Amino acid sequence: MLQNIKDKILSGQRLAREDALRLFETDDIFTLGKLASHAAKKKNGNKAYFIRNIHINPTNICVNRCKFCAFSRSKGEDGAYELTIEEILNKLHPFTHSPVHSFTEVHITGGLHPDWIFEHYLEMIARVKQTFPKMCIKAFTATEIEYFSRISGKSISNILLELKKHGLDTMPGGGAEIFDIAVRNQLCPEKLSGEGWLAVIEAAHKAGIKTNATMLYGHIESYEQRVDHLMRLRELQDRAGGFQAFIPLAYHPENTEIGGSYSSGIDDLKTIAVSRLVLDNFTHIKAYWIMLGEKLSQLALLFGADDIDGTIIEEKITHSAGALSGNAMTAEQLKKLIKKAGKIPVERDSFYREIK
Ligand code: V47
């Protein structure tokens, strides 16, 4: 049934929208997995990457109320928090000044705070960079960048250039959700539009800032809307070229306004595999172990993924929504997980340079 698509993949032809849809609709996940694994091997051989990183969410106070998000709070609400810059530095200290923990990346993202001014974020980045000059700073989603532009009156490109000047190295791929306007209006009507997200990312790539891309799946979207999302990312990558990795994010339903259920393991593997096959111009597909769990991440490495993210240390966004995984893994545990999946573990930095 998948013969035409198989021929296209084996001869290196690009998949069309209809092909991607047929792959999502197939029950033959074994063929799908084999094809995706073939595509992954062509890009990354038998390697699977991991990183020593730490996540920091400076605040959960957010002016938006996305209906899939269990992390955000209003100012003054129970559970609302905001970290000072000092507190952020204190969270990082134990992981940078010990010979055991030579962390190479900090991932910073949080709510759209109603009172913080853009200069606060500049100072945050600058202080982290001054204190930990060897750590790569991966910070702020396209949604946050657009918010900084609105609260400061500065253009998107000026915001990006100033952040870069103060120490921003790369950007995470969050906030993309699903680009389709009808789904977005239901899920997160106040959020930056799909076109807006793509425009900020294009500006980042033009400013020389590499980014990731994500897709939140398994809630109210259809396969067509997932395919549309992937196609728009592929088009942008053809044009701008600054994406490093694509990360499908499995929706977690606990404590969210839309509720619903967890995605199935089959859907998780399908989504990784179809992403690998459609996004032929992305070098890396990440199976984010926090969302997939350890065992499914191992399987994902046989279904087209070549990266499982990192040590993380403290994860709040997925855990607020009922993550079944732990919060942290050591580099040794990550290596073992990868080896047991039959892959070669490779520690990387934020730019996928190998760390020996
Ligand atoms: O943008 C929010 C998603 C994202 C839920 O770039 C949810 O390397 C599942 O983008 N269930 C933030 N997902 C996380 C993110 C990320 C994570 C790891 C690595 C990288 C990277 C990026 O989490 C949000 C949103 O799409 N999210 N709520 C939920 N209930």
Side-chain angles (χ1 to χ4, degrees):
M1 289 295 282
L2 297 176
Q3 192 58 46
N4 283 350
I5 298 178
K6 191 172 170 183
D7 292 345
K8 273 189 171 180
I9 292 164
L10 297 182
S11 63
Q13 282 179 66
R14 182 161 261 198
L15 297 185
R17 203 171 272 266
E18 312 76 70
D19 300 326
L21 196 55
R22 273 184 60 206
L23 290 175
F24 267 122
E25 282 166 352
T26 186
D27 290 330
D28 185 1
I29 65 159
F30 301 108
T31 302
L32 178 58
K34 259 195 200 157
L35 292 172
S37 186
H38 167 84
K41 279 192 181 143
K42 265 176 52 184
K43 298 244 182 238
N44 296 294
N46 227 11
K47 292 177 183 171
Y49 294 91
F50 70 95
I51 186 165
R52 287 176 212 242
N53 63 353
I54 175 162
H55 279 208
I56 304 246
N57 307 117
T59 182
N60 62 352
I61 299 175
C62 190
V63 296
N64 284 356
R65 267 298 156 281
C66 299
K67 296 182 172 57
F68 54 79
C69 179
F71 168 70
S72 68
R73 294 286 181 279
S74 299
K75 208 176 152 186
E77 194 182 335
D78 251 12
Y81 76 85
E82 51 187 52
L83 302 177
T84 63
I85 293 176
E86 245 15 89
E87 284 169 328
I88 292 173
L89 298 177
N90 287 341
K91 271 181 179 283
L92 289 172
H93 265 294
F95 302 101
T96 52
H97 287 165
S98 129
V100 191
H101 296 300
S102 42
F103 281 52
T104 60
E105 180 184 271
V106 55
H107 173 144
I108 306 176
T109 177
L112 309 179
H113 196 289
D115 307 328
W116 288 358
I117 56 173
F118 176 52
E119 285 66 28
H120 177 71
Y121 297 94
L122 287 179
E123 191 190 337
M124 185 189 294
I125 295 298
R127 295 275 308 280
V128 171
K129 200 52 151 194
Q130 278 157 19
T131 319
F132 309 107
K134 285 196 193 138
M135 275 231 262
C136 241
I137 303 180
K138 175 172 81 171
F140 308 133
T141 63
T143 307
E144 288 162 283
I145 299 292
E146 191 269 345
Y147 183 66
F148 300 160
S149 160
R150 260 191 292 143
I151 58 174
S152 66
K154 295 180 183 198
S155 69
I156 299 282
S157 51
N158 279 342
I159 294 286
L160 291 164
L161 291 174
E162 284 194 46
L163 283 167
K164 194 176 173 194
K165 213 168 70 191
H166 283 74
L168 179 85
D169 294 297
T170 66
M171 281 167 55
E177 323 314 354
I178 286 278
F179 296 139
D180 180 89
I181 189 165
V183 175
R184 218 170 170 87
N185 279 341
Q186 279 190 65
L187 283 185
C188 46
E190 304 133 311
K191 194 169 223 160
L192 174 68
S193 67
E195 289 72 24
W197 188 95
L198 291 160
V200 171
I201 294 294
E202 185 160 8
H205 293 180
K206 278 206 181 113
I209 301 169
K210 301 256 186 217
T211 76
N212 289 335
T214 59
M215 172 175 75
L216 180 67
Y217 68 92
H219 38 86
I220 57 167
E221 87 293 357
S222 64
Y223 285 152
E224 279 89 351
Q225 287 153 344
R226 288 189 202 179
V227 170
D228 174 67
H229 191 96
L230 295 176
M231 290 293 163
R232 293 207 220 180
L233 289 175
R234 190 171 78 181
E235 278 163 25
L236 178 55
Q237 179 75 329
D238 277 344
R239 216 174 38 247
F243 284 121
Q244 299 206 106
F246 175 68
I247 312 140
L249 302 174
Y251 171 63
H252 284 57
E254 301 296 321
N255 311 312
T256 65
E257 198 176 325
I258 49 168
S261 50
Y262 290 91
S263 56
S264 71
I266 293 170
D267 197 19
D268 294 333
L269 292 178
K270 256 190 191 178
T271 309
I272 291 273
V274 179
S275 306
R276 177 60 288 164
L277 291 168
V278 172
L279 298 177
D280 53 10
N281 51 5
F282 278 61
T283 311
H284 303 288
I285 302 291
K286 193 189 281 188
Y288 184 36
W289 71 264
I290 289 276
M291 290 199 185
L292 295 182
E294 296 173 32
K295 293 193 177 188
L296 207 52
S297 302
Q298 283 176 310
L299 276 175
L301 293 177
L302 308 183
F303 274 73
D306 61 277
D307 186 346
I308 56 166
D309 208 294
T311 44
I312 310 288
I313 307 299
E314 187 179 49
E315 203 286 329
K316 290 180 186 291
I317 297 173
T318 326
H319 283 79
S320 313
L324 305 169
S325 61
N327 250 305
M329 277 211 266
T330 64
E332 282 314 310
Q333 286 171 319
L334 290 165
K335 265 192 227 169
K336 203 184 260 179
L337 184 153
I338 292 170
K339 267 195 193 153
K340 285 199 166 177
K343 298 280 168 181
I344 304 162
V346 176
E347 182 176 350
R348 66 168 177 90
D349 69 5
S350 302
F351 298 97
Y352 285 85
R353 290 177 300 214
E354 296 188 13
I355 294 176
K356 296 282 178 231

